[in-house]
Amino acid sequence: MAERTLAIIKPDAVAKHAIGDITRRYEAAGLYPVGMRMMQLSKACAEGFYAVHRERPFFNDLTTYMSSGPVVVLTLEGSDAVKKNRDLMGATDPKKADAGTIRADHGASIEANAVHGSDSVENAQIEIRYFFAESELP
Ligand code: CMP
C-alpha cells in the first residue's frame, strides 16, 4: 500500500553536493518525491520540527546545526515508505550504519548525519504537515 514519509537532506549533505546522489537513491528504491523544497530553516522552525527532543542534551546543538545552512525537505511516496526510507538511511550514528546506506556513505557524525527520515507512519503525517500544506501535495 502506498505510504508517505518525510525526508530532510541536511546541511552537511547539501554542502557536499550530495542532493543528486541522495534523491537518486530514493527513486531507485521506489520512494518517489511528491513534494520537494530547498530552504533554510530558522532556529525556531528547527526547534518546532524537533520539539519531541526538546529535553534532550543535544537539542540546542541539533537545532543550531539544522538552521546553519540550506536543507531539502521531501515528501516521499512508495510502498512501505517509512520503513524503506529508514533502511536506506541506516543507523542514526554514521559509524554504526550498515555499509551502503546513505548515512554510512555521506554522514560525518551523529549530528551531521546527512538525512532525516520519519520514524513511524504517525510521525510521518505530522512531519509532512509541518512543511507542506495540504494544497501543495497531490
Ligand atoms: P534525526 O533523524 O534528524 O533525528 C534527531 C537527530 O538528533 C538525529 O537525527 C541526530 O542527527 C541528532 N542527534 C545528535 N545527537 C544525538 C544523540 N546523542 N542521539 C540521537 N540523536 C542525536
Side-chain angles (χ1 to χ4, degrees):
M1 196 186 68
E3 191 174 276
R4 289 181 175 183
T5 190
L6 187 94
I8 304 178
I9 303 177
K10 296 190 179 187
D12 56 302
V14 172
K16 64 184 281 205
H17 306 137
I19 296 172
D21 180 64
I22 292 170
T23 52
R24 183 195 61 73
R25 292 179 191 223
Y26 294 147
E27 291 183 322
L31 292 172
Y32 304 117
V34 293
M36 182 161 159
R37 181 184 301 129
M38 189 165 189
M39 60 195 293
Q40 174 131 5
L41 307 184
S42 65
K43 174 91 163 146
C45 180
E47 287 170 354
F49 181 74
Y50 282 117
V52 291
H53 295 306
R54 193 170 288 281
E55 304 305 325
R56 307 283 283 273
F58 56 83
F59 181 72
N60 187 51
D61 284 351
L62 169 65
T63 53
T64 297
Y65 170 67
M66 287 298 288
S67 54
S68 68
V71 300
V72 179
V73 293
L74 305 99
T75 297
L76 300 173
E77 184 175 88
S79 69
D80 215 9
V82 171
K83 180 177 187 305
K84 204 177 263 179
N85 189 36
R86 292 188 72 74
D87 290 346
L88 267 188
M89 287 193 298
T92 306
D93 183 349
K95 289 193 288 291
K96 295 179 184 153
D98 288 342
T101 60
I102 295 171
R103 284 167 168 164
D105 290 346
H106 290 300
S109 67
I110 196 162
E111 183 172 274
N113 63 352
V115 283
H116 166 82
S118 309
D119 65 2
S120 67
V121 174
E122 189 189 18
N123 282 338
Q125 285 169 356
I126 295 167
E127 293 182 357
I128 289 167
R129 197 52 74 229
Y130 191 78
F131 284 113
F132 295 96
E134 206 171 333
S135 59
E136 290 180 298
L137 297 177

